[in-house]
Amino acid sequence: MFVPRPMAVLPVGIMLLFLGQASVDAEVFTALCDMEYLVHMEKDLVESLDQYIQQEEDKLNKIKTFQSRIKEVSQMAMEEPSTHLHHPVNAYLLVKRYTRDWPLLEALVQEDTAEDFLYNLTKVKESFPSDEDYMGAGKALVRLQDTYDLSTQNIAKGMMGREIAAANRPELGYTKSPELSSEDCFELGRLAYIDQDYYHCALWMEESMARFQPDPTSDLTKDTILDYLAYASYQQNNIERAYQATKELLRINPEHTRAINNMKFFEKEMEKSQNLVAPPKDEDVASIERGEYKRDLARDYLPEREIYELLCQAEQPDMFNITPSRAKHLKCRYFTNNNHPRLLLAPQKLEQVFDKPKMWIFHNILTDPEMKVIKDLAQPRLRRATIQNSITGELEHASYRISKSAWLQGWEHKVIRRVNQRVEDVTGLTMETAEELQVVNYGMGGHYEPHFDFARKEEVNAFKSLGTGNRIATMLFYMSDVEAGGATVFPQVGARLVPEKGAGAFWYNLFKNGEGDMLTRHAACPVLVGSKWVSNKWIHERGQEFRRKCGLSPED
């Protein structure tokens, strides 16, 4: 009978992930701008640690000097102890050492040089990320791994997303990362294990095994990695790999009780299958090719997952190729919105990027100074973004939306009023019933999975409290360039918008007859490398009756 790996064997620190922090909302990993202070805080801690080490080294050098001096005198005295004391100076120095030198050494040894460092550490400890942040950061890496089809090898080598960055925005350069150690990979695998995600657990334990080197400063051992790898492989129905890992575990630790019992089980399972053959007895598991594992899509509720991920990877599925007859309608022009007074002297650069549904990009619609003001106003107020429960209408956190947001009103600053007015000028729609300007910063692997901006017919409570009807249109401003990832994709039609600083994307969510356009279902792809800032105006139906006149059917 197979003996599962019990949760109880996890170290206490990891078990805290289930206990003390269970009710705490993650506040760090959900926005990159809120993580920047951690970099500066760690710099200060390193400087404090340097000072502590220097003080300890100075203290140890004084002790060594004392030890060297005393040892020399002691050895000389021990040659002839009695005659040594015949000399009055030697007798005096011996008494002096006992009454002065040894007490001074005692005081030196008892001196607490760590006090300043511990004070500095304690002072900032409340600002440390929580265990939930740690779990969220690990899940973010796994999300990026899946969405962008990245191998554990490339991530561990510090090459995550290099090809995507080069294809996406090569002019932005590429942010490098250090290589991951065996222990780093093991921790990622263990986080997946805690989440009962045995697919990623197996992948990262394989990488940890491949990178393992004995390290006297680490508690990680090869048999610990193999224990996790065997269990994860078994959960992935890879009996052969589970057998190999368990066999190697027993070679290292023959007394491992769970491995002994599991080995018998795996041998029986191997005998049942005609296709599985046990490897030679002297073959090391590290010399055998990595196991093959299948991603558990049953954990995933998204029906358009495959298309969504292909679009995020900048791949255009064949089914969405735009014909020449459609492409000829996609043009760029200077736009004055029927000679609007404010646009005559400063026309907008308008590009139609898609036809069904119609989507436009207003290039350089925001200036750098305007975006700086918006970010500066929003950053102190950023809170974890919420979604509206389709049944209750209440706002709540969701794992499929990882970001922080803030809301800015026109009365707060002239720049916000100016942006609101500009949206009204270029769209022709009133801002009187529009929602406030929402500003969003995405965190580690920050994303927003496929969703609709408008409320569907069954979502009867959505926007009810506003009394302004449904969301008729969306204006989405990109306020930063992104090195890799972070595109806005429309899985129903294959459209993909790459963030361009200062640009605004616009589309209608509703047809003229008031019905929702299901083709506008869209998603914010995870940010692979870089920081993504966006802001948006959700424009509502009320007040648009004479600005966008109603029609009887979606085709009107």
Side-chain angles (χ1 to χ4, degrees), residues 38-153:
L38 293 176
V39 177
H40 299 287
M41 186 168 73
E42 190 168 52
K43 170 183 168 291
D44 294 337
L45 285 175
V46 169
E47 289 177 355
S48 180
L49 180 60
D50 286 342
Q51 292 174 1
Y52 165 62
I53 291 173
Q54 185 61 52
Q55 290 170 346
E56 284 289 320
E57 288 178 344
D58 292 344
K59 175 180 171 180
L60 187 59
N61 286 334
K62 290 178 181 178
I63 294 172
K64 285 181 176 179
T65 301
F66 176 86
Q67 183 255 5
S68 177
R69 181 168 57 84
I70 295 294
K71 188 175 182 181
E72 182 181 355
V73 174
S74 177
Q75 288 175 344
M76 185 174 64
M78 286 303 296
E79 291 176 2
E80 292 291 341
S82 57
T83 57
H84 175 78
L85 292 174
H86 290 175
H87 197 294
V89 172
N90 288 341
Y92 164 76
L93 290 176
L94 178 62
V95 174
K96 173 184 174 291
R97 287 197 296 274
Y98 275 104
T99 57
R100 292 289 184 269
D101 296 349
W102 282 105
L104 286 174
L105 177 68
E106 181 184 23
L108 178 63
V109 171
Q110 291 176 344
E111 186 179 303
D112 187 5
T113 57
E115 184 177 358
D116 289 342
F117 171 70
L118 291 175
Y119 171 77
N120 291 332
L121 184 65
T122 304
K123 188 170 61 175
V124 297
K125 201 168 182 180
E126 289 185 0
S127 302
F128 279 20
S130 67
D131 287 329
E132 189 178 351
D133 283 308
Y134 179 51
M135 178 68 86
K139 285 184 176 180
L141 276 182
V142 166
R143 183 186 312 119
L144 293 171
Q145 183 178 358
D146 287 344
T147 304
Y148 295 102
D149 194 22
L150 305 172
S151 67
T152 52
Q153 294 97 315

Side-chain angles (χ1 to χ4, degrees), residues 295-498:
R295 185 173 162 194
D296 184 11
L297 294 178
R299 293 165 56 94
D300 200 330
Y301 58 88
L302 276 179
E304 67 266 69
R305 168 63 65 189
E306 185 176 353
I307 294 173
Y308 160 63
E309 291 183 353
L310 284 173
L311 289 171
C312 288
Q313 295 165 27
E315 298 287 342
Q316 184 77 23
D318 293 337
M319 61 189 289
F320 293 131
N321 287 336
I322 297 178
T323 61
S325 61
R326 291 176 61 192
K328 68 181 182 181
H329 298 292
L330 308 181
K331 298 178 180 179
C332 300
R333 60 192 171 106
Y334 281 101
F335 179 69
T336 63
N337 199 6
N338 296 321
N339 296 323
H340 189 286
R342 270 185 287 267
L343 298 178
L344 278 174
L345 294 178
Q348 289 291 329
K349 300 174 185 176
L350 179 65
E351 177 184 2
Q352 185 174 348
V353 292
F354 213 78
D355 57 341
K356 292 182 180 179
K358 288 184 178 179
M359 284 183 270
W360 298 269
I361 296 288
F362 292 93
H363 297 280
N364 304 120
I365 192 171
L366 294 182
T367 66
D368 285 340
E370 287 172 339
M371 289 184 281
K372 184 179 185 307
V373 168
I374 293 171
K375 291 177 186 176
D376 288 346
L377 287 173
Q379 186 159 348
R381 301 189 230 167
L382 288 174
R383 297 294 181 270
R384 185 161 179 190
T386 57
I387 56 96
Q388 191 163 44
N389 187 298
S390 60
I391 299 174
T392 65
E394 297 296 320
L395 297 177
E396 58 189 33
H397 296 151
S399 62
Y400 57 82
R401 188 182 188 188
I402 302 298
S403 61
K404 283 186 178 179
S405 62
W407 299 84
L408 304 179
Q409 299 182 58
W411 58 263
E412 297 181 61
H413 200 283
K414 61 182 180 181
V415 166
I416 309 303
R417 293 192 293 275
R418 190 190 308 154
V419 169
N420 289 342
Q421 184 62 59
R422 194 173 302 150
V423 175
E424 182 166 324
D425 292 345
V426 298
T427 64
L429 302 172
T430 180
M431 295 297 106
E432 290 295 325
T433 56
E435 295 178 43
E436 299 163 3
L437 183 69
Q438 181 182 216
V439 184
V440 180
N441 181 240
Y442 287 85
M444 280 191 63
H447 70 140
Y448 192 177
E449 290 185 350
H451 62 281
F452 299 101
D453 281 351
F454 65 89
R456 288 162 290 170
K457 291 180 179 179
E458 62 270 22
E459 297 172 311
V460 293
N461 292 317
F463 317 128
K464 187 175 180 180
S465 61
L466 298 178
T468 54
N470 212 340
R471 288 172 176 167
I472 192 173
T474 295
M475 175 68 86
L476 175 65
F477 297 111
Y478 296 108
M479 300 199 300
S480 66
D481 292 314
V482 180
E483 292 177 48
T488 306
V489 298
F490 294 74
Q492 305 296 320
V493 296
R496 182 174 185 272
L497 307 178
V498 177

Side-chain angles (χ1 to χ4, degrees), residues 521-533:
R521 184 171 168 84
H522 60 286
C525 294
V527 178
L528 185 55
V529 183
S531 179
K532 181 181 176 184
W533 282 90

